Each structure stands twice: as C-alpha cells, then as structure tokens.
Amino acid sequence: MSWIHLYVKLAAASLRGQMQYKFNFAFSTLMVFGIFGLEFLMVATVIQKFGGIGGWNVYEVGYLFALMMFNRALYRMFASEVNGFEKYLIDGMLDQLLLRPVPVLLVLMTRQFRPMLGELILGSLILTICLKQLDAAGQIDWRLALLKTVPAILSGSVLTFAFGLSTAAVGFWTHRIDDLRRITDDATTNACNYPLTIYPGWMRLILLTVLPMGFTSFVPAMHIIRGEIGLWTMPATMLLALLLLIGALRLWRHGIMHYQSTGT
Amino acid sequence: MLSLTVARKAYAQNLLYRSAHIMRTIASIAIGYVYACIWIGVGDNQSLGQYGMYGMLSYIAFNQACLWTIFTTNSLGIDGLVRTGQISVELMRPLPFFTYMASKEFGKIYYQFLYATIPIYLVYMLLLGIRIPERPETWLWTLLAIFFGAYISMCISYVIGVVALWTTESRWLGSLNWSVSSLLSGFFIPIEWLPGWLRPISMFSPYPCLQYIPTRLYMEMNGPSTLIISASWSIALTLLSIALTRILRRRLEVQGG
C-alpha cells in the first residue's frame, strides 16, 4: 500500500470519527467563520475609514488576508497535530506513534484531519470580492490573477508547513515548543496579513530572510495584484518553499533520531 | 480566607513556568508592534483625530500590555471539568463554585499582570516612548479600571464555561468571545471610530470596560466617573454568574470522563 493511499485511509477514518458529532462539526465551522470574519472586519474598518494603509487599499489588504487564510487552513488541514506537537512530547504520546510500522510524520498528519470549511469558505469569499473589485478598478484581470493565486497558495502552504515542521522538530531537543511557535507562526502570520511596506526596514528584512513568511503573501501579491515585480517571483517562491521543506524534513529526521521520551 | 489561598496557589503554579513564558511575552511584544505599525501606516498621510499618531501608538501599546490582564483561561476550564467528570468533585469543595473558579483565575491573572503586562509595558515605554500619565492619581484610576476589566473578562469566561453543560463545543464560544472582544472592547479601534451600527452594540456591552475605559483613563482622556460603568457591569455579571451556578447545580450531567 502506497504512503498516499495509507494517508487517505487514515485521514478519512479521522474525519469519519469527527463526523459522528455533526452538530459540533457544523457549530465549530460556523464559529471559525465568525472569528476570522470579525478579525477581517476589524482591520477592514480601519483601512476603509482612513483610505488605505502604506499605499494599499482595503481590497489589496483583503487579498493578503485571503492568501494567509488559505495558507493557514491548508497547513492546519493536513498537519493539525504538527502544529500542536508539544503535547506529544510532554505527555509521552509520541512513544505510541514510534511503535507503528509507518513514518511518524505520516501518522501525525492523519490525526485530527479537519476540512477547515470555515476558513476555506471565508477565504474564498474575501478572495472573490477583492479580485472582482480590483478587476472593476482596472488594476487586474481577475481570471489571470486567480490562476496565479492557486500556485501562490500552494507554495505559501508548503512554506507555512515547513516552518511548522521545523518548529516542531526543535521540540525533540527542547520539549516545550508552544511559546517558540508563537513567534515562528502566530507573530509572523499576523505580520504577513498586512503589506510589509508598513514595517521598518529591519522587520521587513527578517520577514524576507530569517523567517521568510513574507513569501507566503506579500511577495506573490506584489506580482499578482500590484504588478510591481516580475513573474519570476512565482517559480522563485516555489523553489524557496521546496528548499525549506527539504530542510525541515531533514531537521525532523535528525531530531527524531535524538528523541528521548519524557517518560510521562 | 480560603479563596485567597486558592488564588495564591494558582499564582505559585504559574510562577513555575515564568522562564518558559518569556517567549510568549516576546511574541506578544512583536504582535503589539505589528498593530502599532498598522496605525503608523494608516496615520502616514492622515490625521488620527484627537489621538494623533503618537497618541494612537500609546493607545495600542497600552492595550497590548493590558491584554494579559483580561486573557483568561478559555471557559475557565469548566468545559474540561464537565468532559472529564471532575466537575462533580469541584462542586463538592467547601467554597462556592463561582468563588473557587474566580479565585483560581485571579491567581493566574495576577501572575500575568506581574510577568507579562508590566514587562511589555516597560519595553514599549523604553522602545516606543509611549506617553505616561501626567497626574499621579491617574495611575490609581487606571489600576482600578484594569481590575474591573479583569473581573468582567473572568465573569464572561465563567458564563461561557457554564454553557459546557449544554454543548461540548463551548471552547468555540470562548474563541468567538475573544474575537468579539477584540472588536468591541476598543482593543484595536477606539470605539468612537467603529462603524455607526457597531458603535451602540459596543457601548451597551461590557466589552469597553475591558480595554477602552482603562486605556482612556490612562491617557487622561476620560475622568474616573467612567469607572461607574465598569462597576455596574461587574455587579450585573456577578449576579448572572451566581444565578447560572444555581442552574448548573441542578442541571449537571457528568459525561463520565
């Protein structure tokens, strides 16, 4: 049985388990929709009231928001437990996974598989509105922009996953990673919801080099909706995502060889 | 004073992880800085009303620091107690359930005030040069407002926690409450700048007591009379919490863990 086939089977089993509680599933989807919708409403209110931020209008910032929402949703859909890896290290739950005759990462990624409908629906809604409005303003051709947005989301999700996996791998040495994740994931994701032009130079540099999360939204948006940089950014972003993924997988493999159970 | 002992124990428990919480505080400083940058970006070619750019920077920075005083445990952990059946034990303790949960939470809030709010505030004061009150009594009013804000936030979380008796997904209500709070408490946008339809909703809710009132007092833009609003909401939510606790005692069905 191929790994992909096995992944699909295990993820489907996880999903079936969650669907036993249909009301809870629908309720949580609705709540996620409300939570992220309010978050966007909060920022959109300010940008609309003051006519833009750092030279970007509300629809351009909305596009960044939608990209980040898709990146986060796809990452959490396929690797929810990579994001919450600390409990496996602290509670000794990883020991059980190590006994299985399949790669640990594969089992981990099938656990708590969630379709993330709330984020995906809201993201699609914001993306559609923003692209249509930018098209109406003559700034883009929405069909072409949408076509380019798909690979941008894919490479952004891979980048986000690579960051999540690297952070999780650090846990093999430090055990506690939730607080580190707040910097590598929460803080950077939050920062990349907005155009990097509003940040001082040192912060922009960090978000484009040390923690290159700027490539998940800002850099693709600079080409797709602003047309300020060339098409080359698309393959360059994909290449960067691939390189970071390879690096994260290597770090994970190296870390798991040095894993010592907490014994709890 | 049993409740004081419970609060002290909760404080001591949190104290054990203070070095582990340093990264959390750094992340909070970074996220607050992002919000400050947004307002700097917005105010680049716009006047920001009575606040001005520097005032908005202080407003956002102070709110970010104070966030940790209203950052309560999701549902106060009541949903977990119901799920595991532990709630039956908690209800047997020789202390009213609401007082017990409130004391425990206040131990945590006091810890967060000392080890998150104050460091974040000091960092912003040194790095961003945020404004400091001119009148000494402002500190007293601000601290009182922060206390009321923390108490109200705790009561709201308690009420959400009690909902766990009816649904296993009350944690989502906790998250939704957090989002609503971000919008209506004036955390990111001063309430007077909210859209027309949203302003009255915010004004007639307890959320402004969490951030808007303390920050406006700190910035000496409002007088101490606004504390009456916070005190009134504190009393109302206490009564609601006590009433819900009565229902909880009668309605309780333990899921068995």
Side-chain angles (χ1 to χ4, degrees):
Chain A
M1 192 186 288
S2 75
W3 294 133
I4 294 173
H5 190 200
L6 186 65
Y7 176 87
V8 172
K9 276 206 162 236
L10 289 171
S14 168
L15 189 62
R16 264 200 310 277
Q18 290 170 64
M19 291 306 281
Q20 300 306 308
Y21 304 93
K22 289 188 181 63
F23 170 76
N24 292 346
F25 179 78
F27 186 64
S28 58
T29 302
L30 201 68
M31 289 291 113
V32 167
F33 190 89
I35 291 163
F36 286 107
L38 281 173
E39 192 185 334
F40 181 64
L41 179 70
M42 188 169 78
V43 177
T45 302
V46 173
I47 298 172
Q48 190 74 351
K49 183 175 173 67
F50 292 97
I53 173 176
W56 290 54
N57 66 34
V58 71
Y59 300 111
E60 289 171 326
V61 178
Y63 180 79
L64 292 180
F65 239 86
L67 280 190
M68 290 308 291
M69 204 170 284
F70 277 112
N71 292 339
R72 189 168 38 205
L74 290 175
Y75 164 49
R76 301 263 168 106
M77 183 194 290
F78 292 106
S80 159
E81 293 300 270
V82 170
N83 193 51
F85 190 56
E86 186 181 281
K87 62 177 179 285
Y88 286 86
L89 297 165
I90 300 297
D91 300 339
M93 288 158 68
L94 190 68
D95 299 8
Q96 300 167 17
L97 303 192
L98 285 165
L99 297 173
R100 307 214 176 162
V102 278
V104 174
L105 187 58
L106 185 80
V107 186
L108 203 63
M109 286 174 70
T110 58
R111 291 196 153 199
Q112 293 295 319
F113 178 86
R114 292 181 295 162
M116 309 298 281
L117 283 180
E119 285 97 327
L120 293 179
I121 293 170
L122 185 67
S124 307
L125 209 65
I126 296 176
L127 186 70
T128 310
I129 294 170
C130 293
L131 288 182
K132 283 279 186 187
Q133 289 294 330
L134 292 171
D135 182 84
Q139 192 173 327
I140 54 160
D141 171 4
W142 75 268
R143 291 174 199 84
L144 185 64
L146 187 63
L147 201 69
K148 288 176 178 174
T149 300
V150 176
I153 289 172
L154 286 177
S155 51
S157 306
V158 171
L159 260 167
T160 313
F161 172 68
F163 269 101
L165 190 62
S166 304
T167 309
V170 171
F172 288 120
W173 290 276
T174 62
H175 293 117
R176 293 257 178 215
I177 45 164
D178 272 0
D179 289 325
L180 175 67
R181 194 174 51 78
R182 281 175 210 272
I183 301 222
T184 58
D185 184 2
D186 297 355
T188 53
T189 302
N190 195 42
C192 292
N193 278 333
Y194 311 99
L196 299 195
T197 46
I198 63 169
Y199 304 121
W202 63 269
M203 197 163 157
R204 267 203 303 269
L205 195 68
I206 288 176
L207 289 168
L208 291 172
T209 54
V210 186
L211 296 167
M213 284 293 278
F215 284 87
T216 56
S217 61
F218 178 74
V219 174
M222 284 290 278
H223 167 67
I224 299 169
I225 57 165
R226 302 270 294 189
E228 288 182 23
I229 40 179
L231 184 65
W232 61 268
T233 48
M234 303 293 290
T237 305
M238 280 181 212
L239 185 67
L240 178 73
L242 197 67
L243 288 175
L244 284 176
L245 179 66
I246 292 168
L249 286 169
R250 282 196 176 171
L251 184 66
W252 173 268
R253 212 171 299 143
H254 185 61
I256 215 162
M257 307 246 277
H258 292 81
Y259 170 66
Q260 283 186 322
S261 174
T262 53
T264 46
Chain B
M1 286 293 277
L2 198 53
S3 53
L4 204 63
T5 310
V6 172
R8 214 181 295 136
K9 292 280 179 199
Y11 171 79
Q13 195 182 15
N14 278 281
L15 205 59
L16 288 173
Y17 300 104
R18 64 184 181 278
S19 54
H21 289 162
I22 289 173
M23 289 294 257
R24 190 176 72 176
T25 308
I26 293 171
S28 185
I29 291 168
I31 290 172
Y33 186 67
V34 167
Y35 289 131
C37 285
I38 294 170
W39 277 106
I40 294 170
V42 167
D44 225 9
N45 46 9
Q46 291 271 344
S47 85
L48 296 176
Q50 59 170 321
Y51 295 92
M53 172 93 86
Y54 179 57
M56 263 326 283
L57 197 67
S58 303
Y59 181 94
I60 291 291
F62 190 74
N63 267 342
Q64 182 68 21
C66 287
L67 198 63
W68 288 95
T69 61
I70 58 163
F71 201 50
T72 52
T73 310
N74 203 350
S75 313
L76 297 194
I78 297 173
D79 56 336
L81 296 178
V82 172
R83 204 167 41 247
T84 58
Q86 179 69 17
I87 191 145
S88 53
V89 178
E90 304 293 344
L91 283 168
M92 281 192 283
R93 292 191 192 277
L95 195 66
F97 184 63
F98 173 67
T99 315
Y100 172 68
M101 295 306 286
S103 308
K104 226 165 75 162
E105 200 58 29
F106 254 89
K108 183 188 167 190
I109 290 171
Y110 182 59
Y111 162 80
Q112 289 179 171
F113 177 71
L114 290 184
Y115 287 91
T117 296
I118 293 179
I120 292 171
Y121 173 78
L122 290 175
V123 167
Y124 285 146
M125 198 175 76
L126 292 172
L127 294 185
L128 304 179
I130 62 170
R131 68 168 287 181
I132 295 169
E134 286 166 9
R135 296 189 294 272
E137 67 270 24
T138 302
W139 288 104
L140 177 69
W141 304 132
T142 307
L143 280 174
L144 254 176
I146 289 174
F147 172 79
F148 279 129
Y151 183 76
I152 290 168
S153 176
M154 189 273 303
C155 285
I156 295 173
S157 292
Y158 181 83
V159 170
I160 291 169
V162 173
V163 175
L165 290 173
W166 287 274
T167 169
T168 53
E169 292 292 310
S170 73
R171 68 194 172 96
W172 285 107
L173 282 179
S175 305
L176 185 67
N177 167 55
W178 190 247
S179 296
V180 172
S181 166
S182 301
L183 185 65
L184 301 184
S185 69
F187 162 68
F188 182 66
I189 316 167
I191 287 163
E192 61 271 24
W193 289 348
L194 285 175
W197 60 275
L198 211 53
R199 216 174 304 140
I201 297 176
S202 168
M203 292 289 192
F204 290 105
S205 77
Y207 291 111
C209 305
L210 308 187
Q211 304 235 262
Y212 185 70
I213 290 179
T215 305
R216 293 274 299 188
L217 275 168
Y218 172 81
M219 295 180 75
E220 297 175 326
M221 288 174 151
N222 282 348
S225 58
T226 48
L227 285 171
I228 296 169
I229 304 170
S230 301
S232 308
W233 271 111
S234 298
I235 294 166
L237 286 166
T238 304
L239 294 175
L240 177 67
S241 301
I242 292 170
L244 281 173
T245 308
R246 286 205 184 132
I247 299 173
L248 183 143
R249 282 191 179 278
R250 269 188 248 123
R251 169 78 177 69
L252 182 67
E253 279 174 30
V254 177
Q255 291 178 18

